[in-house]
């Protein structure tokens, strides 16, 4: 049995996230269908794909990683070209590799890196709307970076988790694990109209990047202070943080092993 690794790029706009669901089009679903066709699995039998990270509806990827087990004798280049010939236009296999049997796209990962793109000008953009979040207000990037620096290290990121993760539990409840190692957060101005926020961590909680970005934008527009941001992180309570930034600006850039 071979273990095949894939590096994927996709436009997440028309997907209901990456993970397989009972209804709705997903990245995993498209991949499993394509792999089953290429490797000649019997009708009704699906390939089992593992992904390095879950991306929400509308979130994109340039460096998503997946793996699957197969008895196929196809060459790695045949896997790449064959899958790309079957897959829809909004998902593509960039690279293939054969890895150890125990290797797993999710559980073997050591670092995940995301980039969030902000289109910052007075008028919205027709061309960037699928891949960037439009912010018309002026942003103080220096203050945003100071707040971003606060996040680097090992912390309880419950304040930036998805709904239900960052609410303090009752005495008889077990709080979900919300401690993560944040390796770097960088706010970059790419040009006069575009800002990128890069984040790398060992792993991320559901909606964590988008909730961090939404709160950093409040710092950038002067709605909250650096001290307020520090208090939000320390609170470990989702109700304290800012709004969730839209999915369109987020992209999974790379996964390191």
């Amino acid at each position: 049995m071979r273990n095949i690794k894939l590096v994927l790029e996709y436009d997440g706009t028309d997907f209901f996230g990456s993970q397989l669901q009972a209804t709705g089009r997903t990245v995993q679903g498209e991949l499993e269908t394509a792999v089953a066709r290429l490797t000649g699995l019997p009708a009704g039998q699906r390939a089992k794909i593992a992904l390095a990270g879950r991306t929400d509806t509308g979130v994109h990827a340039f460096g998503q990683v997946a793996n699957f087990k197969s008895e196929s004798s196809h060459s790695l280049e045949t896997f790449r070209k064959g899958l790309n010939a079957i897959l829809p236009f909004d998902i593509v296999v960039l690279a293939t590799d054969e890895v150890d049997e125990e290797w797993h796209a999710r559980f073997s990962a050591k670092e995940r890196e995301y980039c969030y793109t902000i289109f910052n000008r007075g008028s919205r953009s027709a061309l960037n709307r699928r891949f960037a979040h439009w912010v018309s207000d002026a942003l103080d990037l220096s203050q945003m970076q100071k707040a971003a620096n606060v996040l680097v290290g090992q912390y309880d990121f419950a304040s930036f988790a998805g709904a239900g993760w960052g609410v303090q539990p009752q005495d008889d409840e077990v709080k979900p694990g919300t401690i993560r190692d944040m390796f770097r957060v960088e706010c970059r101005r790419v040009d006069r109209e575009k800002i990128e926020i890069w984040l790398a961590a060992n792993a991320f909680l559901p909606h964590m990047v988008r909730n961090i970005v939404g709160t950093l934008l409040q710092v950038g527009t002067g709605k909250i202070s650096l001290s307020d941001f520090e208090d939000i992180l320390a609170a470990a309570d989702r109700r304290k943080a800012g709004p969730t930034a839209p999915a369109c600006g987020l992209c999974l850039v790379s996964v390191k092993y």
Side-chain angles (χ1 to χ4, degrees):
M1 184 69 71
R2 303 168 69 193
N3 192 5
I4 306 300
K5 172 187 174 183
L6 307 175
V7 179
L8 309 168
E9 174 185 287
Y10 53 83
D11 174 354
T13 306
D14 299 322
F15 287 109
F16 286 86
S18 61
Q19 290 293 119
L20 195 67
Q21 300 178 30
T23 59
R25 181 171 177 260
T26 65
V27 174
Q28 184 180 357
E30 296 286 5
L31 275 173
E32 291 186 349
T33 298
V35 170
R37 284 183 56 188
L38 182 64
T39 58
L41 291 180
Q45 184 176 339
R46 68 181 183 90
K48 295 182 179 179
I49 301 286
L51 297 171
R54 298 182 178 184
T55 55
D56 298 328
T57 299
V59 174
H60 316 293
F62 176 74
Q64 174 71 278
V65 178
N67 77 290
F68 64 92
K69 303 291 181 66
S70 176
E71 295 180 345
S72 171
S73 60
H74 288 322
S75 69
L76 293 175
E77 186 65 1
T78 297
F79 273 119
R80 186 185 68 82
K81 290 183 177 180
L83 289 174
N84 285 337
I86 297 169
L87 288 166
F89 67 93
D90 48 2
I91 178 171
V92 64
V93 177
L94 298 177
T96 55
D97 195 9
E98 188 164 352
V99 290
D100 294 339
E101 185 177 354
E102 297 79 17
W103 190 92
H104 192 280
R106 177 184 175 190
F107 299 121
S108 300
K110 303 298 184 184
E111 177 182 315
R112 294 152 174 93
E113 185 174 41
Y114 284 86
C115 177
Y116 194 93
T117 302
I118 298 163
F119 194 75
N120 188 211
R121 74 177 187 190
S123 301
R124 59 184 174 84
S125 171
L127 297 179
N128 291 278
R129 62 186 177 83
R130 291 170 68 97
F131 306 105
H133 170 37
W134 171 51
V135 176
S136 59
D137 296 332
L139 295 173
D140 187 334
L141 206 61
S142 175
Q143 285 299 107
M144 290 174 64
Q145 184 60 59
K146 289 178 182 178
N149 292 340
V150 172
L151 301 172
V152 178
Q154 185 179 86
Y155 295 106
D156 186 339
F157 284 95
S159 290
F160 302 107
W165 281 71
V167 176
Q168 296 290 350
Q170 302 300 316
D171 292 339
D172 59 348
E173 294 178 332
V174 177
K175 184 178 179 180
T178 50
I179 295 176
R180 297 292 186 269
D181 294 325
M182 185 72 77
F183 303 136
R184 56 188 174 277
V185 185
E186 184 178 355
C187 302
R188 309 175 184 171
R189 181 170 291 281
V190 179
D191 55 38
R192 188 170 55 88
E193 297 179 335
K194 186 175 290 184
I195 291 170
E196 294 177 346
I197 301 176
W198 290 75
L199 306 94
N202 65 328
F204 290 88
L205 299 165
H207 299 173
M208 179 173 158
V209 175
R210 293 164 59 197
N211 291 336
I212 287 175
V213 171
T215 311
L216 286 175
L217 286 172
Q218 289 191 321
V219 174
T221 55
K223 293 178 181 177
I224 63 173
S225 67
L226 178 59
S227 177
D228 292 333
F229 189 87
E230 292 171 339
D231 291 343
I232 289 169
L233 175 62
D237 187 341
R238 174 66 186 101
R239 295 168 295 189
K240 304 294 185 181
T244 305
C248 59
L250 185 57
C251 182
L252 173 57
V253 176
S254 67
V255 184
K256 295 182 180 179
Y257 295 90

